[in-house]
Amino acid sequence: LKSIGFNGDGFGSEFDLYKAFSVLETTPVGPDTMAFLQAALSNQFTGPCWGYKDPRTVLNYPVWQEILNELGYRDIRPVIVSRSPAACMQSLRRRGDAAHVIRPQGMPLEAALFNIWRAYTRILLQQMDLDQCLVLSQEDLLNPALSAIELQRMANWIGLPNANLSKAIDWIQPNLDHRNEDLPIALDPELKRLDSVLRRTAEQQRLQSQEHPVPSVPPAVERPPDWCIYVVSPTRYGHSEAFSEIALS
């Protein structure tokens, strides 16, 4: 992002984020960058099953898919962790990460932060086939009644249906959810619709997983192959780090 003149943390106005996606989509990856990425991935990820979480992946997923394919990773299983637009806005506002984002005169900061969520989610839905992804909700992961179910869905998706989930379950702390639900927050119709698409997909996948415990997509494997999992979400921090506890169990 920095190399093409955008904010390296992935923050910007709604227009800038659409522009960043368009530029990244057509920016070639040179041999030096490819060599650097190959060395970095080899050094950081040594197991047969590995993954990473970075919301900025939304802005250049096709590029990453091409890079990983060229590096020999063929079985890529995307994981989408959604978070409500209100929770994202409150988190960004509290941390001050996007306070510098340029916005039209008179536009409240909260509106600009909602537009970051809007841009990321629009781009996500434009380029990703949700039926070929595991879709989770951060709020569901934090819900004691659903967290074990959601983690089992993740274990199934990554080819480890018999994984010990105890460490991952212990890692999740519902009190880490700092949303203030008492604040009057009005979402415009599009934000509601986009949020509903992701939440409805997560719920439908959960119901399907209860009917068919081991998912048919991707196909079950006898052992985890060499592959990568993308965890993408419109916010920098979340609770998908629990994935690492599944993979290591």
Side-chain angles (χ1 to χ4, degrees):
L1 286 168
K2 286 183 178 179
S3 68
I4 59 173
F6 291 93
N7 180 275
D9 291 325
F11 298 121
S13 68
E14 185 178 2
F15 173 80
D16 284 342
L17 292 171
Y18 296 142
K19 184 177 180 182
F21 171 70
S22 298
V23 173
L24 287 168
E25 202 173 24
T26 57
T27 300
V29 179
D32 292 341
T33 300
M34 186 68 73
F36 171 82
L37 291 173
Q38 184 172 22
L41 293 175
S42 298
N43 291 333
Q44 294 183 52
F45 304 107
T46 57
C49 166
W50 58 270
Y52 75 90
K53 172 184 179 290
D54 192 326
R56 291 169 294 184
T57 304
V58 172
L59 299 177
N60 61 349
Y61 176 78
V63 177
W64 271 108
Q65 190 172 36
E66 179 181 346
I67 290 171
L68 289 169
N69 284 337
E70 289 190 21
L71 294 178
Y73 299 101
R74 306 294 181 184
D75 193 354
I76 301 171
R77 306 186 184 185
V79 178
I80 297 172
V81 182
S82 70
R83 190 179 185 187
S84 75
C88 288
M89 182 277 290
Q90 291 182 33
S91 177
L92 292 172
R93 184 178 59 185
R94 183 179 63 253
R95 297 201 316 264
D97 289 338
H100 63 280
V101 172
I102 298 175
R103 59 185 190 275
Q105 185 175 3
M107 174 183 283
L109 174 61
E110 290 77 10
L113 299 180
F114 275 134
N115 284 341
I116 292 176
W117 187 95
R118 187 195 315 274
Y120 269 83
T121 305
R122 278 180 171 177
I123 293 169
L124 172 71
L125 295 177
Q126 174 182 324
Q127 63 181 321
M128 304 295 290
D129 180 356
L130 298 187
D131 290 337
Q132 300 301 315
C133 304
L134 175 66
V135 182
L136 303 168
S137 160
Q138 179 177 335
E139 287 76 21
D140 290 344
L141 286 168
L142 289 173
N143 183 342
L146 294 175
S147 57
I149 296 173
E150 296 302 271
L151 290 172
Q152 185 61 60
R153 287 209 296 130
M154 190 181 294
N156 292 345
W157 179 254
I158 65 177
L160 299 173
N162 298 317
N164 183 346
L165 304 179
S166 58
K167 290 183 179 180
I169 292 172
D170 291 342
W171 187 92
I172 296 177
Q173 302 176 39
N175 61 0
L176 292 177
D177 186 357
H178 301 300
R179 287 176 297 161
N180 185 348
E181 296 184 344
D182 295 330
L183 289 177
I185 298 175
L187 301 180
D188 66 51
E190 187 190 30
L191 288 176
K192 291 180 180 179
R193 181 182 62 81
L194 293 172
D195 186 39
S196 176
V197 168
L198 293 173
R199 291 183 180 278
R200 186 169 62 249
T201 301
E203 182 178 0
Q204 290 173 346
Q205 290 186 359
R206 180 166 60 247
L207 293 174
Q208 291 172 1
S209 72
Q210 292 171 339
E211 296 174 1
H212 308 284
V214 178
S216 58
V217 179
V221 292
E222 294 182 0
R223 65 174 182 82
D226 291 331
W227 48 261
C228 165
I229 300 141
Y230 279 108
V231 181
V232 294
S233 164
T235 54
R236 172 65 56 87
Y237 303 105
H239 293 79
S240 54
E241 286 86 348
F243 155 76
S244 63
E245 296 295 351
I246 297 175
L248 296 175
S249 298

